[in-house]
Amino acid sequence: IGWFVAVAAASLLIFVFIATGMLDAESNTGGNWIAVAMAIGFAVGGAYLGLMVGVAPMIHGVLLGLVSIVVWALLNALVSVLWPDFQWTALTGPLTVNVILVQIVSAVIGARFGYRKAVSDV
């Protein structure tokens, strides 16, 4: 559930960036804003996960980020089977790796924050 919370928060931020004009939905630019949205979204998802689980924030934060790799691989396999001519243009390979690393680091920081909050309330 933490991954869904993270993706929902990141998606909300991307919609806000598009609505405020900071990110253009029609162009292939804006990778920095996408990385910012992912960082904040996965920090929120990690905090939720750390708060709910209350143990091993580092492991749960890394696993939260690694779920994105599994989903990305499955999505790429599905898209390449259904639409062989489709190409990812907005997210290049290096940007994708950077965004996933940002997700992992942000999820660990958020999980650590949520863990500290859960432990301090006990």
Side-chain angles (χ1 to χ4, degrees), residues 51 113-122:
L51 188 62
F113 176 78
Y115 168 76
R116 286 180 156 233
K117 178 70 174 147
V119 170
S120 69
D121 288 345
V122 174

Side-chain angles (χ1 to χ4, degrees), residues 28-77:
N28 290 336
T29 60
N32 292 337
W33 290 113
I34 293 171
V36 167
M38 289 295 158
I40 295 170
F42 273 76
V44 169
Y48 173 78
L49 187 64
L51 188 62
M52 292 295 119
V53 175
V55 295
M58 299 293 192
I59 293 173
H60 285 93
V62 170
L63 289 176
L64 181 66
L66 292 179
V67 168
S68 295
I69 296 174
V70 173
V71 171
W72 184 253
L74 292 175
L75 182 63
N76 276 325

Side-chain angles (χ1 to χ4, degrees), residues 4-25 30-46 102-103 106:
F4 289 110
V5 170
V7 170
S11 298
L12 176 65
L13 282 172
I14 289 174
F15 284 135
V16 168
F17 290 158
I18 290 171
T20 59
M22 295 179 356
L23 181 63
D24 186 12
N32 292 337
W33 290 113
I34 293 171
V36 167
M38 289 295 158
I40 295 170
F42 273 76
V44 169
V102 165
Q103 290 175 356
S106 297

